[in-house]
Amino acid sequence: MLANPLSVAPMMERTDSHFRYFLRLISKRVLLYTEMLTTGALIHGGHERYLRFHPLEHPIAAQFGGSDPGELAQSAKIASDYDYDEINLNVGCPSGRVQKGRIGACLMAEPKRVAECVEALRAAVSVPVSVKTRIGIDHHDSYEFLASFVEEVATAGCKKFVIHARKALLNGLSPKENRTVPPLRYDSVFRIKQDYPDLEIVLNGGISTLDQVASHLEQVDGVMIGREVYRNPYLLSAVDRRFYGESRPEPSRIELLHEYLPYIEEQFNQGVFLSTTIRHLFGLFHARPHSKEWRRKINELIQTKSSDASNVMAGLIESNYH
C-alpha cells in the first residue's frame, strides 16, 4: 500500500491551520499542505504566524514560494523548528502577482534555477523536498518540455513531483481560469511515471470523486485533490478505510462537529474570532438535506460575531442536523 496515496492541495485562503485541523478529524492519514508561504513573508514577516500548526495535523507539508536558493534555504531552516514532514516548492501558481516575484509557474522556464532551489532546500532540511508544477506554460507545452524539466530537477535530488495536469497560461487568464480553461492532459502525467519509474509522481487537477482517485492510482503514486475537498470536506470520510486500510468507522458529520467544538472554544479563548474557525464548515453538509439552511446559519453566525462560541455552535448542531 502506498505511503501517501492521497493529499489535499495547498489553497490560498483555504488550507489554513483551522481547516487542516478540521480535515484531520475526518481523515487521520491524508497528507495535508499549508497555503503557499513566500520566502519574504517567512524571513521578514513573523514566521510563527505562518508556520505554527497543531500536532494533530501531521502528516503535513509546508509549501514555499520563492526562487532565490539562499532565501529558500533560510526559510527551510526556520520551518525545520516546526517539524514539518515535507517541504514543497511551488512551480505551478500562474498568478500575475506571484510572477512579479519570480515565483510559481513561470519558473518552469528556468529548470536549472529550480534545481538549484531544490539543492538548497535539501541541504537545509532532513525531510523530503518535493516540487509542485504544471505540465507546461504558454506555448511550452510539449511532453518533451515537461520531461526535460522533470529530469533536470530530479538530478538535484527531487524524488517527488506533484503535477497539475494542465498547462498554465501566464498572460490572459486569471488563476481561477487557469484551474479550468486549459484542458486536462492526464496522459502526460501517466507517461512521466512510465518514463521515470523511480520518481514519485502525484497527479493533480480536475479530480472530484474517490472512484477517480482509485482509477488514477493504477498509473501514478498519488493523487492530490483541491477545491472539491473545500466544497465537500466530507468526501474524505471514506479515505482512511479505502486507501489506507484503516478499520476506524467513518465519522458522522455530527460527530465531527462535536469533535471540532473544543477546538473552536480553545481558539476563541486565545483571541481567534469565531468566524475564522467556522468559515470552513460551509460545505460540510454539501448535497445533503438542509444544506442551504446550514450555510445560511453559518453565515449568520459569522456576521453576528458571537462571543459565546461553543454554546452557539452546540445549539446550531443540535437543532436540525441529526
Side-chain angles (χ1 to χ4, degrees), residues 188-237:
S188 294
V189 184
F190 298 154
R191 186 176 170 187
I192 286 290
K193 180 57 188 178
Q194 293 169 0
D195 291 347
Y196 301 92
D198 293 335
L199 297 178
E200 182 179 351
I201 304 300
V202 178
L203 176 70
N204 175 228
I207 300 158
S208 59
T209 71
L210 297 188
D211 285 343
Q212 289 174 328
V213 172
S215 175
H216 293 319
L217 285 175
E218 295 177 4
Q219 302 196 61
V220 291
D221 302 298
V223 172
M224 175 180 279
I225 306 180
R227 303 283 158 171
E228 185 63 25
V229 169
Y230 198 80
R231 189 172 75 104
N232 177 23
Y234 198 69
L235 175 70
L236 298 182
S237 63

Side-chain angles (χ1 to χ4, degrees), residues 76-321:
K77 288 176 182 176
I78 293 171
S80 66
D81 291 337
Y82 293 83
D83 195 29
Y84 281 93
D85 299 292
E86 176 185 313
I87 300 296
N88 178 266
L89 179 63
N90 185 314
V91 190
C93 180
S95 163
R97 178 173 58 85
V98 165
Q99 288 180 58
K100 290 178 182 178
R102 206 179 179 190
I103 298 172
C106 63
L107 285 174
M108 284 199 78
E110 301 182 70
K112 290 187 183 299
R113 173 167 286 273
V114 176
E116 292 170 357
C117 291
V118 167
E119 287 180 342
L121 287 168
R122 293 186 66 240
V125 296
S126 59
V127 298
V129 173
S130 62
V131 168
K132 188 174 189 295
T133 188
R134 294 279 185 137
I135 58 172
I137 50 174
D138 297 333
H139 61 282
H140 301 294
D141 60 356
S142 67
Y143 175 76
E144 290 71 25
F145 175 80
L146 174 61
S148 177
F149 173 84
V150 168
E151 191 165 324
E152 177 78 36
V153 177
T155 62
C158 182
K159 301 300 182 184
K160 177 180 178 181
F161 291 82
V162 181
I163 306 177
H164 187 152
R166 289 185 173 93
K167 72 175 182 179
L169 295 174
L170 302 182
N171 294 294
L173 290 184
S174 68
K176 181 179 180 180
E177 291 169 328
N178 260 301
R179 293 194 296 268
T180 56
V181 174
L184 286 162
R185 287 165 41 193
Y186 293 140
D187 58 312
S188 294
V189 184
F190 298 154
R191 186 176 170 187
I192 286 290
K193 180 57 188 178
Q194 293 169 0
D195 291 347
Y196 301 92
D198 293 335
L199 297 178
E200 182 179 351
I201 304 300
V202 178
L203 176 70
N204 175 228
I207 300 158
S208 59
T209 71
L210 297 188
D211 285 343
Q212 289 174 328
V213 172
S215 175
H216 293 319
L217 285 175
E218 295 177 4
Q219 302 196 61
V220 291
D221 302 298
V223 172
M224 175 180 279
I225 306 180
R227 303 283 158 171
E228 185 63 25
V229 169
Y230 198 80
R231 189 172 75 104
N232 177 23
Y234 198 69
L235 175 70
L236 298 182
S237 63
V239 162
D240 290 1
R241 293 173 65 88
R242 184 166 181 177
F243 298 109
Y244 295 91
E246 296 283 351
S247 58
R248 184 176 75 107
E250 296 176 20
S252 72
R253 292 172 174 83
I254 296 301
E255 288 171 339
L256 292 170
L257 288 169
H258 280 297
E259 281 192 76
Y260 194 49
L261 273 178
Y263 178 81
I264 291 173
E265 182 70 13
E266 172 190 290
Q267 292 297 304
F268 187 83
N269 291 337
Q270 293 176 13
V272 178
F273 290 125
L274 178 64
S275 58
T276 303
T277 52
I278 71 170
R279 70 185 183 95
H280 301 302
L281 299 178
F282 276 107
L284 181 59
F285 288 87
H286 173 74
R288 300 289 296 175
H290 309 298
S291 61
K292 290 183 179 179
E293 179 72 3
W294 171 260
R295 291 195 298 270
R296 183 183 66 80
K297 289 187 174 182
I298 291 293
N299 190 58
E300 287 177 355
L301 278 181
I302 289 174
Q303 298 301 321
T304 58
K305 300 180 180 179
S306 172
S307 60
D308 192 8
S310 62
N311 285 338
V312 169
M313 280 299 296
L316 175 60
I317 293 168
E318 296 297 333
S319 59
N320 293 307
Y321 302 100

